[in-house]
Amino acid sequence: MSEAAKQQAPSRPAPSPTPWARVDVPADRYYGAQTARSLIHFAIGKEAMPPELIRAFGFLKKAAALVNQDLGKLPPKSARSITQAADEVIAGKLNSHFPLRVWQTGSGTQTNMNVNESHFPTRH
């Protein structure tokens, strides 16, 4: 996000386990503190995560929710919420909530956190 856009966009403090780790997130974004920090610390390049990768995460999260529901490890209401959000991700409706660049530490942790913060399960 450009400095001008940061100054103009309303923001909200993202939940954080410690008060000194709080970071602001644009109010119209679903993601949280981990994604916002990644945007700050990995502000290199312009190559965003490919939509195909984000879509694949949607399939992964949906499958995990359904299997965990079948195993009795996830309540049906939570499984429905997660699969609904996953369907939105799979359909590409929420691509703008995945702002991270491909340039990260190499493990993909930031991208996985972006997926978890943005859509599973707290949004629904």
Side-chain angles (χ1 to χ4, degrees):
M1 180 182 294
S2 72
E3 288 302 315
K6 285 181 192 174
Q7 292 172 359
Q8 294 172 357
S11 64
R12 61 175 163 77
S16 181
T18 57
W20 58 85
R22 292 205 172 125
V23 62
D24 285 338
V25 175
D28 64 341
R29 299 292 90 184
Y30 292 147
Y31 60 78
Q34 296 295 336
T35 299
R37 282 191 201 94
S38 184
L39 287 170
I40 293 165
H41 297 298
F42 294 94
I44 56 175
K46 295 183 190 263
E47 300 88 355
M49 282 292 156
E52 296 84 1
L53 179 66
I54 302 306
R55 186 171 188 243
F57 268 108
F59 283 113
L60 176 71
K61 299 296 183 175
K62 183 175 183 174
L66 293 172
V67 167
N68 280 291
Q69 177 186 349
D70 289 349
L71 293 172
K73 303 287 185 184
L74 186 65
K77 182 178 179 184
S78 295
R80 278 191 304 276
S81 293
I82 293 169
T83 56
Q84 178 184 351
D87 286 339
E88 292 178 32
V89 171
I90 292 165
K93 293 178 181 177
L94 305 172
N95 286 350
S96 65
H97 297 277
F98 295 94
L100 298 183
R101 305 290 184 248
V102 296
W103 306 107
Q104 300 177 16
T105 60
S107 63
T109 301
Q110 295 96 327
T111 300
N112 192 50
M113 287 302 299
N114 183 195
V115 172
N116 290 339
E117 287 178 332
S118 294
H119 311 292
F120 309 100
T122 58
R123 187 171 76 82
H124 294 277

